[in-house]
Amino acid sequence: MRTSLRRRGRGLSAALCAAAAALALVALPAGAQAADPDAQARKKAPAVTAAGVPDRPAPGPSPDPALPVHALAPADSPVDNPLKGFARFYQPGGNQNAGYPHSLTWAYFGLSEVMNSASNCGSYNWSVLDSALQEIAQAGHQAAIRFYMEYPGGTGTHPANAIPPCFDGKVANRENTYWGTTSPDYDSPYLRTALKDFIAAFGARYDGDPRLGYIHLGLVGLWGEWHTWPYDTDTAGDSYPNYMPTDANGAELINAYNNAFKKTRLEVRYPESAGGAANSLPAIGYHDDSFCYREGSPAAGVTLPVSMGGAPWAQLQKAVEQGVENKWTTASMGGEVRPEIQSTAFADWPGGTGSVDNMKACIELEHTTWKINERSGEYAAADPKVAAAVRLMGYDLGVKNAYFQNTAQGSTKVGVQISNNGVAPFYYPWEVSLGLKDADGNLVKSWKTSWDLRKVMPLKIRAFPDWGVGSDPTYLDYGRPYYFDATVDLSTVNAGEYQLVMKAKNPLEDVSSAAKKLRFANAGQQADGWLDLGDMNVGAGQGSDPKSYEAEAAGNTLTGGAVTADCAGCSGGAKVGYLGNGATLTFNGVDGGSGGTRTVTVHYATATARSATVRANNGTAQTVQFGPTADWWTTSTATVQLNLQAGTGNSVTIANPSGWAPDIDRITVS
């Protein structure tokens, strides 16, 4: 929390960056060391209430045993993967891609630049934000941003006093003589209403905007950082009054952000902000803007907890005290590498020395996804220490195995098993597609899937000493390689040899051709974002759709308690349910063509994972696993290879002798 050394130079640094000068650092003014904003916290440190070891996520679906396994070779992932790693400051007209490779750009905006009407607080001019987001996107980056109302010295391009002019005469102002800024009355009902209206409008316009990666809640305090030091809540050891809003009033703003933004990731400065109002909101993460710095005499870390030599006011100490050290499982962890150490932060990787704390421990325990790091522009692009740190940050996804038939036609299933060697999940539901490329590398066919990369959790997590599960460092098993599969239709693909590929699409690609592609840690990763899963031969006889058979058709045979039921999401508006535990469904009159092995795709619905046996004629029954669908009316598919006789005299029976089977919509045969 003691950020005053760095903050004195922030306004200077932004201006100097525009002139390509080094980051300016200015010493604390006289007396600032004595005016410790956390003296009270040290005197009355609360008892540790760590959340402890998080529950390990349940394993995902098992790979389909009917599909051949194709192992994929690993490789280092790129250091400029989207939404992770370093962010540099936005400079209008500047080269956003200068310096160490990165995919994020950080930008501040004064609230008065958007709320610039003197007569109407409900009037918003978004041009300053739109202009910046568009320029950042054209460089291929996502933006991380914050709005503020008071910024000592301004940024050089944004005002120092950004209190909206419509507050004049309606909201009282106070002077922060230490920093030379004006603080509005954050408890003013007029101000609170105006800010909540602004947040609602902000969300209505920008929630889910692909140009945005992260939003710091901002608005309150110096630099929008939710503190007004030394005019803060600690009034016991100084003569400064408290300019911060009450916890209840601060919580109103946090809840307003949580209501306005359902897609774009949010971060607030401290776990204890507004009395910990964000701690119960799974989508709001934290923003450690003094990352991995050591200060004071004797030196103490301001990120790591007390159990690892940190100060009582350290970011992770506060997280432990609030019981939110595992918030990373649902929300992103951002911030800034403390400017005093940016040029040397990774020189002693994986540890640290002097003012640099144990950098690897900081990343692993905070589960850091991204950090502002202006001086990363000075790093050598091939520095292996920096690369190791960046790859560890956030997600680091690699496909361990692909599962598919080497030769296929009609409907066929494709699966992948994805591992995460980073410290955090991927936080966005980006669309994942499968595709086929021809010998010239042209994409000839693609299929969207319902795969959700957010399910792929880190394989290992580092234990806090506070958890008492072993000496430091102790690493615990957490995530697992996660299996996804989907059925694709090859019926319109010409016979021949193809490259089966997969891609997680950055939605920024719809805005900017320069958008950074999400790339996997595999040797087969291609620059266009497509990952090579292996070669597939598409068999002859294409050009006609697979034959479909409805479960509720009159010619089928139902036994036991199996019944036909309405199903709005099913083909034909009906399905057969209550299968299993002796009840069976037999499809009669199934066409086997000229006979031989055919792909039978079972279209089903089940709100819980179930299994069933599938048998053709009097052949051997095969057990098929059916993953859960969204509800009992949303369908998914599973495939099985069955040997059918020539002609239309085949039967396909679905059963489960010892448990419940899923509800069946139809089957297709190809």
Side-chain angles (χ1 to χ4, degrees):
M1 226 173 114
R2 280 174 59 188
T3 57
S4 47
L5 170 61
R6 182 266 307 264
R7 293 306 169 200
R8 186 67 175 180
R10 170 58 63 79
L12 295 174
S13 69
L16 290 171
C17 283
L23 183 69
L25 299 175
V26 182
L28 276 165
Q33 292 287 351
D36 189 337
D38 297 284
Q40 189 176 36
R42 282 202 299 276
K43 292 175 183 176
K44 298 181 179 179
V48 172
T49 55
V53 180
D55 292 335
R56 192 176 185 192
S62 298
D64 189 331
L67 296 175
V69 182
H70 302 259
L72 270 63
D76 287 337
S77 57
V79 294
D80 62 344
N81 248 337
L83 298 176
K84 62 170 285 182
F86 300 138
R88 296 192 64 195
F89 281 85
Y90 169 61
Q91 300 295 335
N95 181 359
Q96 303 291 326
N97 284 300
Y100 193 81
H102 57 290
S103 65
L104 284 166
T105 297
W106 170 254
Y108 279 106
F109 300 94
L111 184 59
S112 62
E113 296 178 275
V114 172
M115 292 177 62
N116 56 12
S117 170
S119 59
N120 184 3
C121 278
S123 174
Y124 310 108
N125 180 349
W126 300 102
S127 59
V128 64
L129 178 55
D130 281 332
S131 176
L133 292 181
Q134 197 59 22
E135 185 176 355
I136 291 168
Q138 291 309 308
H141 294 191
Q142 264 98 3
I145 68 170
R146 178 196 296 163
F147 278 95
Y148 68 87
M149 284 192 284
E150 45 182 318
Y151 193 124
T155 72
T157 55
H158 301 283
N161 183 347
I163 299 172
C166 61
F167 287 7
D168 289 353
K170 299 179 179 69
V171 178
N173 291 325
R174 295 82 52 88
E175 297 305 312
N176 184 323
T177 58
Y178 190 93
W179 292 107
T181 62
T182 300
S183 293
D185 177 5
Y186 291 107
D187 288 319
S188 160
Y190 187 90
L191 174 144
R192 286 163 26 224
T193 296
L195 293 188
K196 287 185 288 186
D197 289 346
F198 164 78
I199 293 166
F202 185 19
R205 184 179 177 93
Y206 292 101
D207 187 29
D209 191 315
R211 300 173 298 176
L212 275 170
Y214 305 97
I215 296 174
H216 187 291
L217 269 55
L219 296 178
V220 174
L222 297 160
W223 303 278
E225 288 184 353
W226 287 71
H227 72 84
T228 48
W229 185 85
Y231 293 81
D232 55 13
T233 55
D234 176 16
T235 58
D238 58 46
S239 59
Y240 298 102
N242 177 21
Y243 286 175
M244 286 293 289
T246 65
D247 287 346
N249 289 340
E252 286 185 6
L253 303 183
I254 289 176
N255 287 317
Y257 266 111
N258 189 62
N259 292 332
F261 287 90
K262 301 300 184 183
K263 299 175 182 178
T264 305
R265 310 308 297 187
L266 302 172
E267 296 171 359
V268 67
R269 175 63 179 92
Y270 304 106
E272 68 270 28
S273 293
N279 296 346
S280 62
L281 303 175
I284 300 183
Y286 305 114
H287 187 97
D288 178 5
D289 75 352
S290 288
F291 184 68
C292 223
Y293 185 61
R294 286 170 57 83
E295 67 179 3
S297 181
V302 294
T303 289
L304 294 177
V306 169
S307 61
M308 299 183 70
W313 58 90
Q315 183 81 9
L316 289 177
Q317 179 62 26
K318 293 297 185 182
V320 165
E321 291 170 1
Q322 297 280 335
V324 292
E325 72 269 27
N326 298 322
K327 191 74 173 295
W328 61 272
T329 59
T330 61
S332 60
M333 300 294 136
E336 180 174 16
V337 178
R338 182 82 169 230
E340 291 93 323
I341 62 172
Q342 286 180 4
S343 63
T344 58
F346 305 95
D348 292 283
W349 175 268
T353 187
S355 296
V356 181
D357 213 338
N358 185 328
M359 183 59 70
K360 188 167 186 280
C362 288
I363 292 174
E364 290 177 331
L365 289 174
E366 193 171 86
H367 297 269
T368 300
T369 286
W370 70 280
K371 295 295 178 197
I372 304 165
N373 187 351
E374 181 62 24
R375 296 192 72 170
S376 66
E378 302 171 20
Y379 300 156
D383 189 322
K385 296 179 179 179
V386 177
V390 170
R391 290 190 178 104
L392 185 61
M393 293 167 69
Y395 65 92
D396 190 34
L397 302 176
V399 178
K400 183 179 179 182
N401 295 308
Y403 301 81
F404 58 90
Q405 301 291 343
N406 297 324
T407 299
Q409 62 183 29
S411 293
T412 189
K413 183 186 287 186
V414 175
V416 294
Q417 194 177 51
I418 304 177
S419 295
N420 185 350
N421 288 304
V423 298
F426 187 76
Y427 292 106
Y428 280 96
W430 284 6
E431 179 182 280
V432 180
S433 295
L434 293 167
L436 290 176
K437 285 188 173 183
D438 63 19
D440 295 324
N442 300 310
L443 186 70
V444 298
K445 186 72 174 178
S446 64
W447 304 268
K448 296 178 181 179
T449 76
S450 60
W451 302 350
D452 188 347
L453 294 179
R454 294 174 295 180
K455 296 180 178 179
V456 189
M457 285 290 180
L459 294 176
K460 299 280 186 179
I461 60 173
R462 183 167 177 163
F464 280 77
D466 310 77
W467 293 351
V469 296
S471 59
D472 184 66
T474 291
Y475 293 89
L476 305 175
D477 291 332
Y478 189 66
R480 300 170 175 87
Y482 200 96
Y483 176 75
F484 302 93
D485 63 28
T487 299
V488 300
D489 180 8
L490 300 172
S491 62
T492 60
V493 179
N494 293 327
E497 293 286 342
Y498 294 92
Q499 184 183 64
L500 180 65
V501 291
M502 179 185 84
K503 179 178 180 178
K505 181 183 176 182
N506 183 346
L508 190 65
E509 294 178 53
D510 292 332
V511 177
S512 169
S513 61
K516 299 292 174 71
K517 311 297 191 294
L518 191 155
R519 288 146 291 171
F520 293 88
N522 290 102
Q525 178 63 60
Q526 301 170 16
D528 61 0
W530 290 99
L531 171 65
D532 180 9
L533 299 179
D535 296 331
M536 173 180 280
N537 177 269
V538 176
Q542 306 304 301
S544 61
D545 292 333
K547 294 180 174 63
S548 179
Y549 302 87
E550 295 291 336
E552 70 275 12
N556 293 340
T557 302
L558 281 63
T559 69
V563 297
T564 298
D566 292 338
C567 175
C570 296
S571 173
K575 63 181 178 178
V576 172
Y578 289 98
L579 290 170
N581 288 311
T584 66
L585 164 65
T586 299
F587 292 85
N588 296 311
V590 175
D591 190 352
S594 59
T597 301
R598 293 290 183 266
T599 298
V600 175
T601 301
V602 182
H603 299 249
Y604 70 93
T606 176
T608 60
R610 291 185 173 180
S611 64
T613 60
V614 184
R615 184 185 68 190
N617 304 317
N618 293 318
T620 302
Q622 298 185 43
T623 299
V624 178
Q625 303 296 325
F626 296 86
T629 54
D631 48 48
W632 290 101
W633 306 275
T634 300
T635 62
S636 185
T637 60
T639 60
V640 60
Q641 304 296 312
L642 297 179
N643 187 36
L644 300 183
Q645 300 171 1
T648 59
N650 294 279
S651 64
V652 174
T653 300
I654 298 175
N656 186 333
S658 59
W660 290 112
D663 295 352
I664 304 301
D665 173 20
R666 62 186 173 113
I667 63 170
T668 56
V669 179
S670 55

